[in-house]
Amino acid sequence: MRPGKGKKIALGIVAAIAFVTVFGWVVMSLWNWLVPELFNGPVVTFWQAIGLLILSKILFGGFHGKGGHGPKEKWKERWRNMTPEQRDKLKQRFSSRWADCEGPRWGKKREFSNQDWSEENIDKKDQ
């Protein structure tokens, strides 16, 4: 183990505990301030607030780290950095792999056209 690595790990654990504590306290405070008065809901304890945070993470997949860029953004960036030959090769792979897929999302067999792969269409599909 490198020198100082144990200190970094301990500091990370302390920082994580502090973050969860502060965030749980903020959720508990906001909940207890708003929900009972607005909706006649229950008052929650600190641990119930932590449970709500965990439940929201499970249900909604929040708390994205590293700028919140998901796989879609990574693929867009990757597409923009490809050469035309690499793009054609990828189009052929997708066309051959999914041209015969059927189901509610795919419908009939289809070939992907160059129009499907233009940067304007890729950006429009995300909106």
Side-chain angles (χ1 to χ4, degrees):
M1 190 183 325
R2 293 186 316 204
K5 190 171 184 178
K7 288 181 183 179
K8 287 184 180 181
I9 291 172
L11 184 62
I13 291 170
V14 170
I17 291 171
F19 177 78
V20 168
T21 302
V22 169
F23 208 52
W25 181 82
V26 168
V27 169
M28 180 189 71
S29 298
L30 285 172
W31 179 282
N32 290 339
W33 175 49
L34 294 171
V35 172
E37 190 170 322
L38 293 175
F39 306 109
N40 293 324
V43 173
V44 296
T45 65
F46 173 77
W47 294 109
Q48 289 171 328
I50 298 294
L52 285 171
L53 286 172
I54 294 169
L55 181 63
S56 67
K57 171 67 175 157
I58 292 168
L59 294 177
F60 304 114
F63 314 134
H64 292 290
K66 299 180 183 175
H69 297 296
K72 195 180 288 188
E73 290 298 321
K74 290 177 186 175
W75 272 101
K76 278 184 179 180
E77 186 63 31
R78 190 172 177 184
W79 178 261
R80 288 184 184 108
N81 292 331
M82 284 183 183
T83 64
E85 294 81 22
Q86 290 172 325
R87 289 180 180 185
D88 287 338
K89 188 175 180 180
L90 184 64
K91 288 181 209 178
Q92 287 176 344
R93 281 186 58 202
F94 275 100
S95 292
S96 65
R97 181 172 290 170
W98 289 324
D100 58 345
C101 290
E102 294 185 19
R105 181 177 173 131
W106 297 101
K108 298 178 182 178
K109 293 181 183 180
R110 70 177 265 211
E111 286 291 320
F112 293 102
S113 67
N114 283 336
Q115 185 179 4
D116 292 335
W117 295 91
S118 69
E119 286 195 31
E120 298 87 33
N121 282 338
I122 289 173
D123 290 333
K124 282 181 189 174
K125 289 178 183 177
D126 289 338
Q127 295 174 355

